[in-house]
Amino acid sequence: MTRLAIARSVADLRAAIAGMRALGKRIAFVPTMGALHAGHLSLVARGRAAADAVVASIFVNPKQFGPAEDFDRYPRNEAADVALLEGAGCDLLFAPGIDDIYPAGFATEVRVGPLGEPFEGAIRPGHFTGVATVVARLLLLVSADVALFGEKDWQQLVIIRRMVADLAIPTAIEGCPIVREADGLAMSSRNAYLSAAERTVAAALPRALEIAADAIEMGADVQAALAAGRARLLASGFEAIDYFALADPDTLAELSVLDRPARLLAAARLGTTRLLDNREVRLRGSRP
Ligand code: AMP
């Protein structure tokens, strides 16, 4: 098992990256907020396949949390994360302090435009500006050849692709499939908030997406399939649905007919926890 090096400052990070570059290594980067699980580790594994060295970061970014959100209680467990990264073959962890990411006087924000407005952007004002700002800074600091992001956060992935193209950040962005629990629930650091009873209910979210996706692929009316999916979630014990919608996978425009390969996007609330999930919807007859 490789020993995981830890850089806690920008200077340490730059020195470690320069060392890798001096050895001619291709670098993969996996940005995270910690509380790592198998979903994060799948990104590290993909990074190992795509490059010679993998750099992960752990930074709970205050700019992407709203004032009433869970920044203070977001799970933090660096010792466990270090052990998981080491086991996954990660080479370097960047675990900066707040001043390394937002030094005194920091004032620039990256605004992502229309892609940041619907879905998560409508529910969490300012969230994607916070995400884009920190991801831009991290991508520029690490200057990796490739960076890995999960399809779990589909809108975030689309926005980061747009930002990297628009700002000519020279890192390739690769999306990785959603890693799920045995009952289908998408792995998430926030699943730790769920009570045992809520955890049982939570599996209704991937199930509702699967049923709606199958129905739409088989030619069901899109609005009717979405309404049935929402009803199913509420009947299962979800308290509120922020959105349950069919969208263009790249523009995020909402679709009322399946006229192209699409993405079903959902966010719903269980107690104090918001759960996100999404699923591909293929054009009829395009299943392999
Ligand atoms: P987070 O720590 O939640 O900010 O997530 C860091 C990265 O891991 C993001 O690119 C997420 O999309 C990705 N990720 C989180 N959960 C999963 C999952 N269940 N499967 C695949 N990727 C994930």
Side-chain angles (χ1 to χ4, degrees):
M1 190 156 54
T2 49
R3 181 89 177 77
L4 178 73
I6 303 182
R8 295 198 182 275
S9 67
V10 166
D12 287 353
L13 175 74
R14 288 196 199 284
I17 298 279
M20 291 173 181
R21 290 293 186 200
L23 294 172
K25 290 190 174 178
R26 221 179 111 77
I27 297 173
F29 177 42
V30 178
T32 82
M33 297 205 300
L36 301 182
H37 50 65
H40 298 112
L41 301 183
S42 76
L43 305 185
V44 173
R46 182 64 208 134
R48 275 169 64 89
D52 309 305
V54 179
V55 179
S57 65
I58 296 178
F59 181 66
V60 185
N61 173 33
K63 281 196 192 293
Q64 72 188 67
F65 289 79
E69 294 183 358
D70 56 343
F71 177 73
D72 288 332
R73 69 172 183 137
Y74 196 83
R76 294 164 171 88
N77 189 345
E78 192 188 272
D81 290 346
V82 165
L84 288 171
L85 289 173
E86 217 154 46
C90 182
D91 299 276
L92 174 68
L93 169 62
F94 180 41
I98 185 94
D99 295 341
D100 289 287
I101 299 299
Y102 301 120
F106 187 97
T108 302
E109 284 183 339
V110 180
R111 284 203 4 255
V112 289
L115 290 173
E117 286 165 14
F119 304 118
E120 288 304 289
I123 304 289
R124 306 181 69 189
H127 170 66
F128 285 123
T129 299
V131 169
T133 301
V134 81
V135 172
R137 183 161 165 90
L138 288 169
L139 288 175
L140 292 168
L141 282 171
V142 175
S143 61
D145 298 278
V146 57
L148 296 305
F149 292 85
E151 293 181 351
K152 159 87 186 348
D153 301 285
W154 186 268
Q155 188 175 10
Q156 171 177 280
L157 175 60
V158 169
I159 282 170
I160 287 167
R161 285 192 198 285
R162 179 79 263 148
M163 175 189 80
V164 161
D166 290 354
L167 300 183
I169 296 175
T171 299
I173 302 300
E174 207 179 296
C176 298
I178 302 174
V179 176
R180 298 179 180 280
E181 303 283 0
D183 64 358
L185 178 64
M187 289 193 183
S188 165
S189 307
R190 289 189 169 96
N191 292 350
Y193 298 153
L194 298 170
S195 69
E198 289 167 346
R199 174 63 190 82
T200 307
V201 171
L205 180 57
R207 186 79 188 114
L209 284 173
E210 186 183 8
I211 292 169
D214 285 350
I216 293 168
E217 286 181 352
M218 295 300 288
D221 176 74
V222 170
Q223 298 303 348
L226 296 176
R230 290 185 202 109
R232 175 178 291 277
L233 284 181
L234 294 174
S236 304
F238 276 87
E239 278 132 38
I241 298 163
D242 288 341
Y243 53 86
F244 191 96
L246 189 70
D248 181 289
D250 304 313
T251 67
L252 303 177
E254 277 199 54
L255 302 176
S256 52
V257 284
L258 184 68
D259 57 0
R260 66 198 88 172
R263 206 83 196 174
L264 260 182
L265 303 171
R269 294 174 196 251
L270 205 45
T272 57
T273 310
R274 280 185 84 237
L275 296 179
L276 266 61
D277 203 344
N278 66 84
R279 190 175 181 96
E280 180 182 35
V281 181
R282 298 175 209 218
L283 275 179
R284 215 171 171 184
S286 67
R287 273 197 188 270

